[in-house]
Structure formats: structure tokens, C-alpha cells
Amino acid sequence: MDLAFIPSPSVGVVHLGPIPLRGYAFCIIIGVFVGVWLGNKRWIQRGGRSGTVADIAVWAVPFGLVGGRLYHVITTYEPYFGKNGHPLDAFKVWEGGLGIWGAVALGAVGAWIGCRRRGIPMPAYADALAPGLALGQAIGRWGNWFNQELYGKPTDVPWALKISSDPAIGRIGGTYHPTFLYECLWCIGVAALVIWADKRFRLGHGRAFALYVAAYCAGRAWIEYMRVDEAHHILGLRLNVWTALIVFVLAVVYLVVSAKRAPGREEVVEPGALEERAAAEAAAAESAGSDSDAATEADGGDGAEAPAGKAPAAEAEAEDGPEAVDAAAPSADADAKPAGSGSTKKS
């Protein structure tokens, strides 16, 4: 008897009238927004303009979705083009099936087009976006939880994932390793690693992105090995395991070669952005200086009126005559006497 497990949702879609609201799609959309938000913050820190990341994402995201779907359909073609397959199902992205390898590869093509149109170096853009991509993947993996798919081997650990049976698709109920959760946590760790390493070593020229790729592939290899869904095998290993290993090696080679050929970080990532920021800061400083000068003049005007304000009192004393002076003398003597008597001790 299982004492503890992670429950799966009974349904992956909720209908709002005729409109289906799918958990898988929501996870993908939220992941994209989080990735763009973090990428924008990092791009500004690197000296770029706010909004540039989102503008380029308009190109990268559609290309990435198409690439992810193409990779899945090509590597798992049987349900679509095999015996008794349904070719039109290849367009049903909401049912799951996006390969991260194809998404990143074709998404990079879209990003390259966007960067070229803006005159921005592609490696710098990729470095800024890398941690956001990892976080976006972490969120997107929860779409597999909604669809009850891509889980691991059977297990009875306390964090096992409860899967309901579905004879229509050949799904056997039970408790399995929650590989979606493993990958989610791994991607969060990858994002933290890239942010730390980028600050510590000032990674540039695409090395932060290469670190993200290498770190992700290292985790994906062992997570992929745990999965039990149907997949093509080469020399006893799943196709995606081989893909992770090959891409990992390529990313590490790029890290080493790039560090030797182009050490340091790009000084300019977006033409004109630094000049605009400097001009805005100068204008703000000038405005603050003008406000300070106006306040000083206002204070000086008030002080100039103060002596004139004492004139009536002086005139009153003059009108009172010598008697007023003589009456004031004892008070002055009394005030002066304590100052000249006794001793003073500093504390």
C-alpha cells in the first residue's frame, strides 16, 4: 500500500463554454513569459534596451514551437505516419509532444533573424536569455503532469507519481518516478548555476548559453534514462540520451574554444543603448541640479527678509528710551553670570 504519492490531475483540460483551457498550454505560455521577463532584466544589466528581448522573442518563440514539434514528430513518427497512424494528429500540439532539442535549435534560427534585424550580436542575446530558458523549461515540464505523460519507472518512494489507468492509450495505472519533477528541479538548479557563474566569471560571447546547454544535458541524460515511454533505441540507449550526450560534448568544446579565442565579455551588446542611457542619466542629473538651485534660492530669499522682520522690535526699543535699556541690563547680567562661574566637564 502506498502511504504517500504525488497525485495526478483527473483532467488536463477545463472547458469554459466552448473554449478549452488546457494545463499543458498554460504551462508553456507561463514558461515563455517568465523566460522573457528574466532575459529582459539580464539584457538591461548587460547594457541593452528594455523590450529588445521581447521583440526578438516574437521571432524565436514561434520558430521554437515549430522546431520542438518537428523533432517530436520525426523521432516519434509511428502515432502519426506509422501503421494505423493519424497524420493530422501531428498538429495537435496541445496534447503534448515538444522536443526541447528541436525547440532550441529552430528557436535559435528565429532569434538569429531577430538579432540580425536589430544589429545585435546573437551570442550576447543567448547569454542573457540562458537562465530564463532554464526556468521556462522548469515551468513547462508541469504540462507533462497535467497530461500524465513522460513519467519514469515504477516505484514506491514517498514522492512517487500516481498515474491513472487509460486502456484507450495503453496506460497502466500505478506509481512511477516523477521525471517531470526531477527535470523541473534540475532546470531551476541550472538557472541558478548560470546566473552565479555569469557573475563570478563574467561569461560572454555565448559561454553562459553553452554552460546552460551543458548543464541541462548532463541532467537530461540520466532523467531520460529513467523514462518508460516508447522511444527509439540506438546501441541499447534511448535516442534522446544519445542526443543529450552529443550536445553536452559540443557545448563543452564551445566553452573551451570560445574562452581561448574571445576571452572576457562584450563591451557593447546593443548599439546606441549605452549612449541613450547616459543621456537620460545626464538629463536627470541636470533636472535634479536645477531643482536644488531653485530650492537654495528660495531659502536665501526667506533669510534676507529676516533682518527686516526685526526692525519693528528695534524701533520699539528706541522709542522706550534709556529706561528700557536700564531695565534690560539686570537680565543681561544674570544671563552672563553663570557662563563665567563654575567649571565645565566634557562627557
Side-chain angles (χ1 to χ4, degrees), residues 7 19 60 127 131 149 165 167 197 342:
I19 302 175
D127 284 342
E149 60 183 1
S165 62

Side-chain angles (χ1 to χ4, degrees), residues 42 46 101 104 123 126-134 137 186-220 244 247-259 265:
R42 286 173 50 80
R46 290 219 172 189
W101 318 107
V104 172
D127 284 342
L129 199 62
L133 282 175
Q137 288 177 242
W186 184 268
C187 287
I188 293 174
V190 170
L193 171 66
V194 174
I195 291 174
W196 171 81
D198 195 25
K199 290 182 179 179
R200 176 66 177 80
F201 303 105
R202 291 184 57 81
L203 301 177
H205 302 282
R207 286 189 289 277
F209 183 81
L211 177 61
Y212 145 72
V213 172
Y216 171 75
C217 289
R220 179 61 185 269
V247 176
F248 171 82
V249 172
L250 293 176
V252 172
V253 170
Y254 180 88
L255 274 170
V256 175
V257 174
S258 175
R265 179 185 289 180

Side-chain angles (χ1 to χ4, degrees), residues 29-116:
I29 292 171
I30 295 172
V32 169
F33 274 101
V34 170
V36 171
W37 168 78
L38 182 56
N40 183 67
K41 289 177 64 68
R42 286 173 50 80
W43 184 250
I44 294 173
Q45 292 172 356
R46 290 219 172 189
R49 296 186 181 94
S50 176
T52 296
V53 170
D55 292 343
I56 297 177
V58 171
W59 289 90
V61 171
F63 273 73
L65 292 175
V66 173
R69 188 59 176 176
L70 282 175
Y71 180 88
H72 169 75
V73 172
I74 291 173
T75 58
T76 314
Y77 63 87
E78 291 85 357
Y80 314 107
F81 304 104
K83 184 178 180 180
N84 299 323
H86 302 280
L88 292 180
D89 288 350
F91 297 96
K92 297 180 179 180
V93 180
W94 55 86
E95 292 184 354
L98 290 175
I100 185 61
W101 318 107
V104 172
L106 206 55
V109 175
W112 176 80
I113 295 174
C115 288
R116 187 175 179 83

Side-chain angles (χ1 to χ4, degrees), residues 81-320:
F81 304 104
K83 184 178 180 180
N84 299 323
H86 302 280
L88 292 180
D89 288 350
F91 297 96
K92 297 180 179 180
V93 180
W94 55 86
E95 292 184 354
L98 290 175
I100 185 61
W101 318 107
V104 172
L106 206 55
V109 175
W112 176 80
I113 295 174
C115 288
R116 187 175 179 83
R117 289 168 60 90
R118 298 290 293 266
I120 291 172
M122 175 69 178
Y125 179 82
D127 284 342
L129 199 62
L133 282 175
L135 284 183
Q137 288 177 242
I139 297 171
R141 272 303 172 193
W142 284 86
N144 301 135
W145 177 69
F146 278 101
N147 285 355
Q148 296 196 49
E149 60 183 1
L150 307 185
Y151 42 86
K153 300 174 182 178
T155 183
D156 58 356
V157 296
W159 58 87
L161 176 66
K162 181 71 173 181
I163 296 295
S164 60
S165 62
D166 188 348
I169 59 176
R171 189 171 66 202
I172 302 175
T175 54
Y176 300 85
H177 277 288
T179 51
F180 84 93
L181 180 60
Y182 298 160
E183 186 163 340
C184 171
L185 297 176
W186 184 268
C187 287
I188 293 174
V190 170
L193 171 66
V194 174
I195 291 174
W196 171 81
D198 195 25
K199 290 182 179 179
R200 176 66 177 80
F201 303 105
R202 291 184 57 81
L203 301 177
H205 302 282
R207 286 189 289 277
F209 183 81
L211 177 61
Y212 145 72
V213 172
Y216 171 75
C217 289
R220 179 61 185 269
W222 66 266
I223 294 172
E224 183 73 24
Y225 185 75
M226 297 178 65
R227 283 168 44 173
V228 295
D229 54 298
E230 292 292 332
H232 294 285
H233 288 70
I234 299 176
L235 299 178
L237 292 178
R238 293 167 64 96
L239 175 61
N240 282 339
V241 174
W242 283 107
T243 304
L245 294 175
I246 293 172
V247 176
F248 171 82
V249 172
L250 293 176
V252 172
V253 170
Y254 180 88
L255 274 170
V256 175
V257 174
S258 175
K260 292 182 178 180
R261 297 184 61 180
R265 179 185 289 180
E266 299 91 340
E267 295 295 333
V268 178
V269 297
E270 187 167 5
L274 293 177
E275 290 77 0
E276 290 180 5
R277 186 176 304 176
E281 292 175 354
E286 183 178 353
S287 177
S290 300
D291 294 342
S292 177
D293 292 342
T296 303
E297 292 176 1
D299 293 341
D302 294 341
E305 294 175 358
K310 293 181 180 180
E315 292 174 358
E317 292 176 1
E319 291 176 358
D320 290 340

